Amino acid sequence: MECFLLGEYKANKGPSNVNRSLIENSGGEILCVKSNNKILSILESFIQLAKCDKVVVSTVCAPRYYYFLRFLNKKYFYLMHGSLRFENEINRLQLSKKKLDNEDAILRHAERIICVSEGYAEWVKKRYPEYSDRITFVNNGVTIQPRKAVEKIPFTVAVAGGNRCIKNNLEVLKAVKLLHEQGIPCKLFVFGRKYPGNDPLEENEFCTYCGHLEKEQYYKKLDTISCFVMDSEVEPFGLVAADALNCHCSLLMTRNVGARSIMKAEPCDFIENPHDVREVAEKIKHAWEWPNSERLCHSIDREGCSEKATFVRLKKIIEGEIQ
């Protein structure tokens, strides 16, 4: 198979990391743009789109590439890392109608819509029932390699995604505050940016913003955290789940977190209502008392969820072996 992947792969962001992993694990079967020059990279993209029979569009591409694919009457597979229209609503992004219409068009004409987890595919089918017969999935590849365990700081909680509304980290902060009021000396650590237009997370004696950390700094901080919470409205995959488990953090997540697809989680590992502050608080207390990181780690098929396995499944979908 020779396939061109249209998508960014050099940045340190979720979709870029996934694209880079697919390229590196394809044994040369996935082609990508090599040039660092903006004009040359656009030209190279057009050449590859015209030349390659098989095309994967990873995240929403610029309209010029979509129109070119339509002009060539060429089939393409859409690797879906998120829903711009939904995220625009919940995160108050104020995206232009042109951008949202472009995503709609890409979804409408894709040969297959490939979601980045089985759980996310279930959510997308409900969101876009008109496309359900074309929706499938590849679980993102992860590396489960637990670090050397260090002593945890008691009653610590961490979240990622800053104050993005879709993450519901404000509810986690409220839960931590509730526990604090109950006499538990807990503390919340927030990784990620502060986004204007989203509800702020007040920094105080039990909430600290860590911002974006270098990888090793980030892992060293996670090594000391007792519980990592993913209270997301929806999370296409959530690679931070693997980071948390590798750092021996107990993991709590909603049922709309795609990473649940690669592990055998129990009811106590799930937050059923991400907006129920009391439930979030009670589940955090349970996770402190009954740590789940070792159990969840052992439940993961490391070979089946490897980065190589992700490429193999993607290839089978493109070649029609998996419907």
Side-chain angles (χ1 to χ4, degrees):
M1 179 188 81
E2 190 173 80
C3 170
F4 175 58
L5 188 146
L6 179 64
E8 213 290 319
Y9 66 93
K10 295 175 183 176
N12 185 24
K13 296 180 180 179
S16 300
N17 293 336
V18 172
N19 293 342
R20 186 164 57 251
S21 169
L22 288 170
I23 293 163
E24 290 173 352
N25 285 276
S26 72
E29 292 187 66
I30 291 183
L31 306 178
C32 58
V33 170
K34 301 291 186 183
S35 177
N36 292 317
N37 178 280
K38 185 176 180 180
I39 301 300
L40 291 178
S41 67
I42 291 172
L43 179 60
E44 189 178 349
S45 295
F46 280 124
I47 292 170
Q48 293 286 15
L49 289 173
K51 187 176 73 171
C52 291
D53 291 331
K54 295 178 172 63
V55 174
V56 172
V57 176
S58 182
T59 74
V60 175
C61 64
R64 59 176 169 263
Y65 300 125
Y66 165 73
Y67 290 129
F68 190 60
L69 285 165
R70 295 290 292 160
F71 173 74
L72 296 174
N73 197 27
K74 184 163 288 194
K75 295 177 181 178
Y76 62 89
F77 297 81
Y78 180 52
L79 189 57
M80 188 170 183
H81 300 265
S83 166
L84 272 188
R85 193 168 283 280
F86 178 73
E87 290 165 23
N88 184 57
E89 294 167 9
I90 194 167
N91 289 331
R92 309 165 194 169
L93 300 178
Q94 298 182 322
L95 297 177
S96 67
K97 183 178 183 298
K98 182 180 177 182
K99 280 191 175 182
L100 299 176
D101 288 347
N102 183 45
E103 180 191 47
D104 290 343
I106 290 169
L107 287 167
R108 187 162 54 250
H109 294 111
E111 181 74 5
R112 302 299 299 276
I113 299 167
I114 307 171
C115 299
V116 292
S117 71
E118 185 174 7
Y120 187 52
E122 294 167 6
W123 183 90
V124 172
K125 284 180 180 180
K126 292 175 185 175
R127 176 84 181 179
Y128 301 97
E130 65 272 33
Y131 306 140
S132 60
D133 61 331
R134 290 188 283 119
I135 294 170
T136 184
F137 72 92
V138 289
N139 287 321
N140 276 347
V142 297
T143 300
I144 300 299
Q145 193 171 10
R147 289 163 58 87
K148 182 180 178 181
V150 302
E151 186 177 355
K152 295 290 185 183
I153 299 174
F155 309 121
T156 46
V157 180
V159 294
N163 66 324
R164 269 293 188 223
C165 296
I166 199 169
K167 305 293 184 180
N168 289 323
N169 289 336
L170 182 59
E171 276 71 17
V172 181
L173 175 56
K174 290 177 181 177
V176 167
K177 184 180 179 182
L178 179 61
L179 293 170
H180 215 264
E181 291 169 353
Q182 294 173 4
I184 300 172
C186 52
K187 190 159 186 178
L188 175 66
F189 294 89
V190 181
F191 298 104
R193 287 176 50 196
K194 295 180 181 179
Y195 294 92
N198 285 208
D199 297 326
L201 300 178
E202 182 186 354
E203 293 186 74
N204 49 41
E205 70 273 17
F206 50 83
C207 178
T208 300
Y209 244 103
C210 300
H212 277 294
L213 301 178
E214 292 296 323
K215 198 167 188 178
E216 191 55 32
Q217 268 187 306
Y218 165 65
Y219 285 142
K220 283 183 178 178
K221 188 64 185 176
L222 271 186
D223 284 338
T224 67
I225 298 295
S226 298
C227 180
F228 195 95
V229 180
M230 302 177 73
D231 195 37
S232 304
E233 206 69 34
V234 64
E235 190 84 47
F237 188 83
L239 291 170
V240 291
D243 295 336
L245 294 180
N246 282 334
C247 294
H248 307 277
C249 305
S250 285
L251 179 65
L252 290 178
M253 54 192 164
T254 63
R255 291 189 183 272
N256 282 340
V257 171
R260 70 172 173 80
S261 307
I262 66 167
M263 59 187 83
K264 294 182 176 68
E266 297 180 359
C268 60
D269 305 322
F270 289 112
I271 297 166
E272 301 296 343
N273 181 355
H275 302 286
D276 186 337
V277 173
R278 290 192 177 277
E279 184 198 353
V280 175
E282 288 302 313
K283 290 288 173 69
I284 290 172
K285 282 200 291 187
H286 186 276
W288 283 335
E289 189 173 354
W290 304 98
N292 64 9
S293 62
E294 189 173 341
R295 169 171 54 81
L296 291 176
C297 262
H298 285 314
S299 77
I300 296 172
D301 176 0
R302 300 189 188 190
E303 188 174 330
C305 73
S306 68
E307 293 176 344
K308 182 67 176 178
T310 297
F311 164 70
V312 170
R313 181 175 170 85
L314 177 65
K315 179 179 178 179
K316 288 181 178 179
I317 291 170
I318 293 170
E319 293 184 336
E321 294 180 40
I322 296 177
Q323 295 303 312

